[in-house]
Amino acid sequence: MTSQVSSPAEQTDGTVVGEQRKPGGAKDVRRLDRVIIRFAGDSGDGMQLTGDRFTSETASFGNDLSTLPNFPAEIRAPAGTLPGVSSFQLHFADHDILTPGDAPNVLVAMNPAALKANIGDLPRGAEIIVNTDEFTKRALQKVGYDSSPLDDGSLDGYSLHPVPLTTLTVEALKGFDLSRKEAERSKNMFALGLLSWMYHRPTEGTEKFLKSKFAKKPDIAEANVAAFRAGWNFGETTEDFAVSYEVAPAAQAFPVGTYRNISGNLALAYGLIAASRQADLSLFLGSYPITPASDILHELSKHKNFGVRTFQAEDEIAGIGAALGAAFGGSLAVTTTSGPGVALKSETIGLAVSLELPLLVVDIQRGGPSTGLPTKTEQADLLQAMYGRNGEAPVPVVAPKTPADCFDAALEAARIALAYRTPVMLLSDGYLANGSEPWRIPDLDELPDLRVQFASGPNHTLADGTEVFWPYKRDPQTLARPWAIPGTPGLEHRIGGIEKQDGTGNISYDPANHDFMVRTRQAKIDGIEVPDVEVDDPHGARTLVLGWGSTYGPITAAVRRLRAAGEPIAQAHLRHLNPFPRNLGAVLKSYDKVVIPEMNLGQLAILVRAKYLVDAHSYNQVNGMPFKAEQLAAALKEAIDD
């Protein structure tokens, strides 16, 4: 879905405000500036699909939005249990927003487990739509309810809408040749239709999607469309929903352009394709499936028409080995993984450092250690990216800050890898990978020129006048060695992990040469040109909040709240974590206090304190979920007042 917007503006996160009007003979319609909706149910109830469809229609309508899918690691977790609850949260607004929202205004709970798992996040007065058909005695007992919360008064502080979703869906589909079990599966589409009516979402795209998705099963397609329409009609006719809501398009929130909704992994895949086209190189992905990185492999495998070759290897080591071989052969080479896979790939990353070949290592971080929390988010791989190899093996580290920014981060990582002949670590995470937001589709002339020159002949003259090729003779500006494609006459050279002699590339055990090569490889990384860090400080604050990666949204939302309350606070956000921007030290020392929020136990803070001798304060969270803006605002206010 794409939409056009026409003028820029920057606004703070709004609060829900209402203006009622009542068209003749119709239900009341209330205008809101933003809404946070959470769909929740069993992992087999289709909550991710439901949320994704609502998001797509919201994007096509022109709202700004941010999403937070949250689901179990198991393919099919135990039905009706708390560990089996899957949810999808969407925050959409008529202005610029930054996060999926702290607390839902609306919860759609498909069963007692979904209600119990999510009720603690709801503010008083929130609307709760429950599927009453699932509130059986057995289902209630399974999650620890002694009595039904629909009847015992425990939900009196909320606006409760009991709806027999399953019964209504089965009734709506009684004209189809479906079993009851098959009909019940469409209850998520009934719920989607109801919410689409409730918030005036477009419907054509969802109906077209359902017909396409189930094209090989036309009866199922029509049944889902019928359930979707029945949900819409139920909202229109039932007396329980007396009000519907309008959230206007966010026409003032974005620069002029064509926009589409995009997830972080999809944006990253598109960025890799764009980088290969801008470099005029074929793209090779050597990968082993792992949550939450697998979507990149799935997406890139669809684009052979752009010269993309994907290889699903038998394990993580084979995946990066194939990618490094492709880099040696002259491709833009990529391997994708998560934290456990980076550990397995570490020896080959070290080999790439020694060979000095361009290679993108994409780490979609998740909760650890070990298998940890495969479907939850974390930022705990930073030190692994920096130091997780034997010997002195420095690599650049780049981190996107939003789902849409994954596109630009991929281009930047490719620029560094190609220009400096080095592996590059790109650190995304599960929050960015699965979350989505509007993305302005760039014009081709906005993309950087990433073309490189391969070595084509001798580059060194010996004392006797003989012209030879030296594989480790370096560019004086970048310290990058030449990239020689195998099979090019006269450019034969040794490769391998044993230390090379400066210039010639011959095997060398000379202590002085090893010291020189180690320092040269470090100097190459230290010398990478990266933009200065920009500081947002309109009021001359004494406290700076410094972030990296996916904490950008919550930090920025928290900073906006504090400034709206009259509190001065400065903000800076890092994309480049190795090397750091050259002005970072001066920026840090210009503030009395530096606070670094991270979804780890303080890894960036360790690096900052060690390099700049700045007494940076950590604010940490490792619960598998992103920060909440209100939570961060309170912590930052305390830091300001301390």
Side-chain angles (χ1 to χ4, degrees), residues 186-522:
S186 298
K187 62 182 180 289
N188 63 323
M189 288 299 106
F190 190 100
L192 178 60
L194 172 57
L195 268 292
S196 296
W197 169 83
M198 195 171 173
Y199 289 96
H200 295 252
R201 298 297 91 185
T203 60
E204 295 81 3
T206 292
E207 293 192 10
K208 183 178 179 181
F209 167 83
L210 291 170
K211 292 175 182 178
S212 173
K213 179 177 177 63
F214 299 106
K216 295 181 180 179
K217 298 179 179 179
D219 289 347
I220 299 297
E222 290 303 321
N224 276 282
V225 171
F228 176 68
R229 291 174 178 172
W232 176 282
N233 293 332
F234 177 77
E236 182 71 29
T237 58
T238 183
E239 295 181 2
D240 190 40
F241 292 90
V243 178
S244 64
Y245 303 91
E246 287 184 351
V247 181
Q252 304 298 313
F254 309 110
V256 175
T258 301
Y259 288 77
R260 60 155 293 165
N261 185 50
I262 200 165
S263 68
N265 272 353
L266 183 58
L268 206 155
Y270 286 177
L272 294 173
I273 296 171
S276 72
R277 294 299 81 208
Q278 293 302 106
D280 197 21
L281 298 174
S282 62
L283 177 64
F284 179 90
L285 174 68
S287 183
Y288 180 75
I290 183 172
T291 302
S294 300
D295 289 342
I296 302 171
L297 170 62
H298 300 159
E299 182 62 32
L300 289 179
S301 68
K302 302 175 184 177
H303 297 289
K304 296 180 178 62
N305 55 314
F306 286 113
V308 178
R309 292 171 292 169
T310 54
F311 170 56
Q312 181 174 319
E314 66 268 28
D315 56 38
E316 296 280 5
I317 298 172
I320 190 173
L324 185 56
F328 178 61
S331 295
L332 177 59
V334 185
T335 188
T336 53
T337 189
S338 190
V342 174
L344 292 167
K345 295 177 189 291
S346 62
E347 182 180 3
T348 308
I349 298 173
L351 177 59
V353 170
S354 177
L355 297 181
E356 300 190 44
L357 287 172
L359 174 67
L360 301 186
V361 181
V362 178
D363 177 7
I364 312 297
Q365 300 166 96
R366 70 191 207 186
S370 187
T371 308
L373 303 174
T375 59
K376 308 303 179 184
T377 197
E378 209 164 273
Q379 287 184 298
D381 294 350
L382 177 55
L383 294 182
Q384 179 178 225
M386 287 287 294
Y387 303 120
R389 294 161 296 282
N390 65 294
E392 296 286 346
V395 299
V397 180
V398 175
K401 62 184 181 180
T402 69
D405 189 51
C406 289
F407 179 87
D408 296 314
L411 284 165
E412 175 65 359
R415 176 192 74 84
I416 294 172
L418 293 170
Y420 294 89
R421 310 288 196 270
T422 178
V424 177
M425 294 288 300
L426 198 163
L427 293 182
S428 180
D429 61 43
Y431 171 40
L432 297 183
N434 296 317
S436 62
E437 66 176 352
W439 170 58
R440 188 180 70 83
I441 302 172
D443 294 328
L444 289 178
D445 58 8
E446 298 176 37
L447 302 180
D449 184 351
L450 301 180
R451 288 174 293 182
V452 297
Q453 294 293 322
F454 291 113
S456 58
N459 62 356
H460 184 75
T461 303
L462 299 177
D464 62 3
T466 304
E467 292 187 335
V468 296
F469 174 67
W470 274 15
Y472 282 83
K473 186 169 184 176
R474 302 179 182 279
D475 180 285
Q477 297 298 319
T478 65
L479 298 182
R481 78 175 187 90
W483 195 359
I485 301 302
T488 306
L491 303 190
E492 299 84 0
H493 60 283
R494 291 182 175 86
I495 62 169
I498 298 179
E499 185 63 278
K500 312 296 186 299
Q501 185 182 52
D502 177 43
T504 69
N506 295 331
I507 291 174
S508 173
Y509 293 98
D510 178 63
N513 177 79
H514 177 61
D515 183 273
F516 178 81
M517 293 294 279
V518 167
R519 295 178 185 277
T520 300
R521 287 188 289 261
Q522 183 66 58

Side-chain angles (χ1 to χ4, degrees), residues 610-630:
K611 185 172 180 65
Y612 300 110
L613 302 181
V614 169
D615 186 21
H617 300 264
S618 286
Y619 183 73
N620 308 115
Q621 172 179 295
V622 280
N623 62 6
M625 299 294 288
F627 284 111
K628 293 182 177 181
E630 182 179 4

